[in-house]
Amino acid sequence: QLQASGGGSVQPGESLTLSCTASGLTFDDYGIGWFRQVPGKEREGLSFISPTEAFTKYSEAAKGRFTITSDTKNTAFLRIDGLKPEDTAIYYCGALMIRWAGSSFEFRPQIYSYWDQGTQVTVSS
């Protein structure tokens, strides 16, 4: 249902854009959230977009260096600028039913309907 791509190994200070393509579901019914997770820690919410609702949201951890966008069809993007070693994690995109947009629950992974397999981002010199 969801396929993320764009991860890889980068040096500090570089930028990266992750993509999340949905199949079998549409932006009319779902918004896309981006999360990341490191071993031993909970999945951390970063950003959410509902193209149909023209709604975007960023967590405190993502304000400033993260930008979420989407096309009009089925792909959401997360651009990360000024990458730091502490950004090293597995990044996940999830599909959340559109009725949750603007609810203040966008960064609760338990309410997401679908997830991709995750894409690794490693930042090191």
Side-chain angles (χ1 to χ4, degrees):
Q1 299 274 0
L2 296 176
Q3 179 68 48
S5 61
S9 295
V10 297
Q11 294 190 343
E14 292 185 342
S15 298
L16 201 64
T17 298
L18 306 178
S19 301
C20 177
T21 299
S23 61
L25 55 92
T26 72
F27 289 159
D28 289 339
D29 300 316
Y30 293 90
I32 299 295
W34 283 100
F35 292 72
R36 66 185 178 187
Q37 191 168 22
V38 297
K41 292 191 176 182
E42 294 184 352
R43 194 164 292 192
E44 177 186 36
L46 298 171
S47 188
F48 173 83
I49 188 167
S50 171
T52 300
E53 301 291 321
F55 176 81
T56 60
K57 187 173 182 178
Y58 296 90
S59 68
E60 287 301 316
K63 289 181 180 178
R65 297 187 298 116
F66 293 71
T67 305
I68 193 168
T69 57
S70 72
D71 63 16
T72 58
K73 188 176 179 181
N74 64 346
T75 301
F77 307 92
L78 183 70
R79 177 180 171 91
I80 313 170
D81 294 312
L83 279 154
K84 305 175 182 180
E86 50 264 45
D87 293 320
T88 295
I90 299 175
Y91 284 71
Y92 296 91
C93 65
L96 178 66
M97 293 181 68
I98 199 171
R99 64 186 177 94
W100 291 103
S103 68
S104 77
F105 296 102
E106 297 90 347
F107 299 132
R108 295 195 180 187
Q110 299 90 334
I111 64 173
Y112 276 67
S113 300
Y114 302 100
W115 292 98
D116 77 302
Q117 295 300 309
T119 185
Q120 177 71 46
V121 174
T122 302
V123 186
S124 68
S125 56

